[in-house]
Amino acid sequence: MSLTKSKKLNDWIEEIQAMCQPDKVVICDGSTEEYDRLMREMVASGMAVKLNEENRPNSYAFNSDPSDVARVENRTFIASVKEEDAGPTNNWIDPVELKKTMSSLYNGCMKGRTMYVIPFSMGPIGSPIAKNAVEVTDSPYVVVNMHIMARVSTEVLHLIETSDEFIPCLHSVGKPLAEGEKDSRWPCAPLEDKYIAHFPEENLIWSYGSGYGGNALLGKKCLALRIASNMARKEGWMAEHMLILRFTSPEGKQYHIAAAFPSACGKTNLAMLQSTVPGWKVETIGDDIAWMKPGKDGRLYAINPESGFFGVAPGTSDNSNPMALASIKENAIFTNVVVTEDGDVWWEDMGYDCPGGGGTDWKNNPWRQDSGEKGAHPNSRFTARASQCPVICEDWENPTGVAIDIFVFGGKRTTTMPLVHEAASFEHGVYMGATASSEATAASLDQAALRFDPFAMTPFIGYHAGDYIQHWFDMGEKLGDKAPRCFYVNWFRKTDDGKWLWPGFGENSRVLKWMCDRVEGSVGAIETPIGLMPKKEDFYFEGLDLSEDAWKELTKVDTEAFKATVESAREYLAKFGNKLPSKMTDQLEALKSRLG
Ligand code: OXD
Ligand code: MN
């Protein structure tokens, strides 16, 4: 009996089956029964811990291998036919050579394991912006996470069967089992055998050796960003590392904001922000990825291709993000957090001490909070359905998406970058986004202390970054006066003695309100060499405990520091060679001369 009604899919499954040699093949249907069965099996094998039903109903905790805790950018490859098409920000290997190397790793790699075939849609099923795909994996952990993060269902399989169209995504943890060998709690391959590979000309993804997050849940970074960014460029749309939110004024006027910040810089917190400006409210559409297409009216429409949140746990508290905490009350998956003695979860900066003073840490060892060691890994994560978020927007699954009014760019900079400044034009906004910079976080294993991170997309641009920036300019031209307004923010400024200058979190709504007032034309701005900044009298300060000095510092343009940044940007951009858009050089020179 054939596996599915799609010949193309059957051929692909059989080819992988022959190469990877699993013990059996299971076609997934995305059902609750399937989820519960896999969880039961993983609890029985010792891979998962079922949390206390009273504290955390229907929720599970996992600990990864200590070597497999984050995305591995050094082992991530864009295997385009021509090296120059991958550009200076990607690792490149010739696709024929890479397939050869990886095929020999894949050869027999699923022995002793089940191969799961997961049909999924990124984006609301059937939406004109959505894409159908199939992930083949030997990790049941990946299957249950994919149930939450993507739309896994037989309906998607039927669409694939009728169209014969899907994006193939192959994943293996890279740890075959010998006859009678006991599995490890978190099987994976050593770092040098890990490959997160993309073949953009074929829209094909091959991932080997890691079971963690973006390395293994292939709908997320691999498909929705690296492969999708390639498709988007060819087809005239955008695939961006952006949260999407709706901000509604007391009068009921809706603004849609898409914001690009690097991993672990607060996208999830901003997406679910509790406004401190009376009458204004935020509703969440997405917290990590935006797919955006010009609509018939010439505006840019965005959807969230994902259906869940894979959020960073440490730092998530009732203060920083009460809506995320509410989203993970039940039916959640936790990876690399502390499991408390009473079967609940805990992590650093959760807002209270670990109940009972300790538990089992992310390395699966007994742990006490007073030991001074971190109990949760800094990149530990929660996986939760977006539909469980109390402030999820009623339009979050609208197949046409929402029209974006505002783009926000930024990163984590403890110095130099002011709280907020606005671009004088879309082209200036592209310059700001393309030269966004950030200090390193725990979301990736290999990052420089400070890096330029164009549109927070450095690890996710699936082609030459110079062409990518050009695509932004092209989209700006296409959208004309309907293009979103561009702003740059920095919530992370510190005083010389290391204290935060800005309270952040819910108070960031004050900055969003100023942006909306700018869009509305109801407030002016101070023109500075770097862009437009808020006049003090236009900013909403009511109830905010912020000193005059702090405001001055937050809105200061440090000309000398900026001049140095421009020079570093010039150096950084030089590696784009002749693919650096001339509009970037024009913007850089103009900024330089404004700075004097
Ligand atoms: C993520 C990341 O998991 O950016 O979203 O690392
Ligand atoms: Mn991300």
Side-chain angles (χ1 to χ4, degrees):
M1 205 188 77
S2 58
L3 295 154
T4 73
K5 294 195 192 95
S6 161
K7 173 160 177 1
K8 191 167 151 196
L9 180 54
N10 291 345
D11 288 350
W12 182 62
I13 297 172
E14 278 159 16
E15 188 192 312
I16 293 169
Q17 201 180 347
M19 176 164 71
C20 300
Q21 301 162 39
D23 284 6
K24 61 175 180 171
V25 177
V26 169
I27 311 281
C28 297
D29 61 12
S31 64
T32 313
E33 293 73 40
E34 179 174 87
Y35 185 91
D36 294 345
R37 174 173 50 80
L38 290 174
M39 284 298 194
R40 270 196 311 274
E41 286 173 15
M42 286 187 282
V43 170
S45 77
M47 188 183 191
V49 169
K50 170 130 179 49
L51 296 171
N52 184 327
E53 195 57 27
E54 267 167 43
N55 293 328
R56 216 46 80 166
N58 194 30
S59 298
Y60 298 83
F62 293 78
N63 294 325
S64 77
D65 186 274
S67 68
D68 199 28
V69 291
R71 287 184 292 98
V72 281
E73 292 178 20
N74 285 345
R75 306 298 308 161
T76 299
F77 300 90
I78 299 297
S80 44
V81 172
K82 288 200 218 133
E83 179 167 8
E84 69 181 85
D85 290 342
T89 56
N90 286 309
N91 301 309
W92 178 86
I93 301 182
D94 174 79
V96 176
E97 187 191 322
L98 184 55
K99 278 196 180 161
K100 203 165 142 213
T101 310
M102 290 186 75
S103 299
S104 67
L105 289 167
Y106 278 131
N107 191 11
C109 72
M110 293 189 186
K111 277 191 184 144
R113 300 190 185 279
T114 299
M115 174 171 128
Y116 301 94
V117 179
I118 314 169
F120 67 99
S121 170
M122 295 310 286
I125 298 174
S127 152
I129 315 186
K131 301 277 177 210
N132 295 324
V134 178
E135 176 162 350
V136 163
T137 179
D138 54 5
S139 163
Y141 168 85
V142 165
V143 181
V144 290
N145 275 274
M146 286 295 285
H147 268 226
I148 296 176
M149 296 306 297
R151 285 134 176 122
V152 178
S153 75
T154 43
E155 199 184 338
V156 178
L157 182 59
H158 293 326
L159 287 176
I160 292 171
E161 288 175 330
T162 6
S163 64
D164 243 0
E165 249 182 64
F166 65 95
I167 299 172
C169 314
L170 167 58
H171 171 253
S172 169
V173 294
K175 185 79 184 62
L177 291 170
E179 195 68 49
E181 181 182 343
K182 189 173 156 18
D183 204 359
S184 38
R185 209 182 57 248
W186 182 279
C188 62
L191 186 64
E192 65 277 13
D193 284 345
K194 291 192 208 301
Y195 287 90
I196 319 299
H198 309 74
F199 302 90
E201 283 90 357
E202 296 172 71
N203 288 344
L204 171 69
I205 299 162
W206 275 13
S207 167
Y208 183 90
S210 168
Y212 206 85
N215 300 330
L217 312 175
L218 302 186
K220 194 174 182 58
K221 304 301 183 181
C222 300
L223 192 166
L225 289 176
R226 299 194 191 97
I227 291 294
S229 63
N230 265 284
M231 299 173 118
R233 178 186 171 219
K234 284 181 216 138
E235 297 166 7
W237 53 284
M238 306 173 94
E240 298 297 330
H241 192 204
M242 286 178 158
L243 68 90
I244 313 165
L245 64 83
R246 170 178 290 171
F247 199 35
T248 309
S249 76
E251 297 73 41
K253 176 123 200 224
Q254 297 174 349
Y255 301 87
H256 294 106
I257 302 181
F261 307 129
S263 311
C265 287
K267 281 202 298 301
T268 306
N269 293 347
L270 187 63
M272 300 176 191
L273 170 153
Q274 295 283 278
S275 171
T276 54
V277 186
W280 287 78
K281 73 164 188 234
V282 164
E283 288 162 293
T284 314
I285 295 168
D287 80 327
D288 195 41
I289 299 177
W291 282 359
M292 297 175 284
K293 246 187 196 168
K296 286 199 186 77
D297 60 0
R299 301 189 67 199
L300 189 63
Y301 284 79
I303 65 158
N304 168 13
E306 302 189 282
S307 57
F309 310 123
F310 185 67
V312 176
T316 306
S317 69
D318 240 334
N319 178 41
S320 68
N321 197 341
M323 293 303 111
L325 282 191
S327 311
I328 56 177
K329 268 198 181 133
E330 54 189 344
N331 314 316
I333 299 173
F334 299 91
T335 310
N336 284 347
V337 303
V338 172
V339 175
T340 63
E341 281 159 4
D342 58 354
D344 200 359
V345 287
W346 186 87
W347 46 75
E348 277 69 28
D349 299 321
M350 198 175 184
Y352 52 86
D353 284 339
C354 182
T360 306
D361 71 3
W362 73 272
K363 293 183 187 149
N364 212 31
N365 292 325
W367 168 87
R368 304 295 305 166
Q369 193 179 354
D370 60 16
S371 68
E373 294 279 309
K374 280 196 187 342
H377 187 276
N379 192 39
S380 53
R381 301 280 180 144
F382 55 77
T383 324
R385 287 183 191 283
S387 58
Q388 288 189 181
C389 178
V391 290
I392 197 75
C393 178
E394 62 178 5
D395 276 325
W396 85 278
E397 297 197 276
N398 184 337
T400 23
V402 295
I404 298 298
D405 301 286
I406 292 170
F407 276 143
V408 182
F409 311 121
K412 206 173 242 179
R413 290 292 305 271
T414 47
T415 65
T416 314
M417 282 300 180
L419 177 65
V420 57
H421 62 297
E422 183 187 350
S425 64
F426 191 80
E427 291 190 357
H428 182 209
V430 175
Y431 175 84
M432 281 179 173
T435 55
S437 53
S438 199
E439 289 159 24
T441 71
S444 161
L445 288 183
D446 17 64
Q447 281 185 5
L450 177 70
R451 69 170 181 177
F452 282 99
D453 191 355
F455 303 93
M457 279 285 282
T458 306
F460 311 123
I461 304 169
Y463 56 100
H464 195 296
D467 290 333
Y468 166 76
I469 297 171
Q470 185 59 50
H471 184 55
W472 265 88
F473 283 120
D474 294 345
M475 290 301 291
E477 253 177 47
K478 186 150 152 190
L479 295 163
D481 61 4
K482 302 217 170 70
R485 293 270 283 268
C486 299
F487 296 82
Y488 194 105
V489 301
N490 179 21
W491 317 131
F492 301 98
R493 282 293 299 279
K494 281 191 172 170
T495 57
D496 290 340
D497 53 355
K499 298 204 179 72
W500 297 115
L501 265 170
W502 174 249
F505 308 119
E507 305 298 2
N508 294 339
S509 54
R510 296 169 193 268
V511 177
L512 300 188
K513 177 185 181 299
W514 180 74
M515 294 174 186
C516 296
D517 290 344
R518 287 289 299 153
V519 168
E520 230 25 75
S522 58
V523 297
I526 302 169
E527 275 186 42
T528 79
I530 62 163
L532 303 154
M533 298 188 41
K535 293 183 180 165
K536 190 159 184 236
E537 65 268 28
D538 293 333
F539 199 81
Y540 186 78
F541 282 102
E542 203 98 348
L544 181 67
D545 183 17
L546 191 83
S547 71
E548 183 73 31
D549 282 354
W551 176 253
K552 269 207 191 120
E553 194 56 35
L554 284 165
T555 52
K556 185 172 95 184
V557 180
D558 184 339
T559 312
E560 288 315 307
F562 255 92
K563 279 187 188 164
T565 302
V566 169
E567 283 322 305
S568 326
R570 188 196 298 284
E571 257 169 53
Y572 168 74
L573 295 169
K575 71 176 179 185
F576 293 56
N578 62 8
K579 294 248 189 195
L580 180 67
S582 58
K583 284 185 173 160
M584 274 301 282
T585 320
D586 297 347
Q587 286 293 331
L588 188 137
E589 292 307 332
L591 172 58
K592 187 172 174 212
S593 75
R594 289 197 303 270
L595 286 164

